[in-house]
């Protein structure tokens, strides 16, 4: 089953990108997805969003993200190790 976030991104992909193709670094649907949550607060640009973000909160969120990746990698490595051990035994 597809998540709500994935469905939203699918819908946003249908919005034509008005930007020049020269120097485009990020897909337009990703940019829109970043801006949408700020619209109710009157924020309409990524710059405005970044002005209101606490660097400490951003660092904490990124640290949690990295810890999750590390835990996932450790879990994958542990499963691979155990499966290899079972095959050898």
């Amino acid at each position: 089953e597809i998540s709500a976030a994935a469905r939203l991104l699918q819908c946003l992909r249908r919005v034509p990108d008005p930007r020049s193709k020269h120097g485009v670094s990020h897909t337009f649907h990703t940019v829109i997805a970043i801006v949408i949550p700020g619209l109710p607060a009157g924020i309409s640009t990524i710059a405005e969003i970044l002005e209101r973000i606490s660097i400490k909160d951003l660092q904490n969120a990124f640290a949690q993200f990295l810890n999750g990746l590390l835990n996932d990698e450790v879990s994958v490595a542990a499963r691979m190790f155990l499966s290899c051990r079972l095959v050898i035994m």
Side-chain angles (χ1 to χ4, degrees):
E1 184 173 308
I2 189 167
S3 70
R7 281 195 305 265
L8 174 61
L9 285 176
Q10 283 179 344
C11 292
L12 293 177
R13 281 189 178 103
R14 297 183 190 124
V15 177
D17 188 344
R19 304 173 296 171
S20 162
K21 299 303 177 204
H22 179 73
V24 172
S25 298
H26 305 285
T27 59
F28 192 57
H29 66 275
T30 303
V31 174
I32 296 172
I34 292 168
V35 173
I36 284 175
L39 292 176
I43 299 169
S44 61
T45 67
I46 293 174
E48 289 175 343
I49 292 170
L50 292 175
E51 287 174 359
R52 297 178 189 212
I53 291 176
S54 158
I55 296 300
K56 185 175 181 179
D57 290 341
L58 185 58
Q59 288 172 331
N60 288 337
F62 191 64
Q64 289 176 344
F65 168 73
L66 290 177
N67 284 333
L69 285 179
L70 291 174
N71 289 337
D72 289 347
E73 287 181 19
V74 168
S75 296
V76 168
R79 286 193 301 270
M80 288 174 58
F81 174 75
L82 289 174
S83 66
C84 289
R85 246 178 95 196
L86 292 174
V87 170
I88 294 171
M89 293 179 160

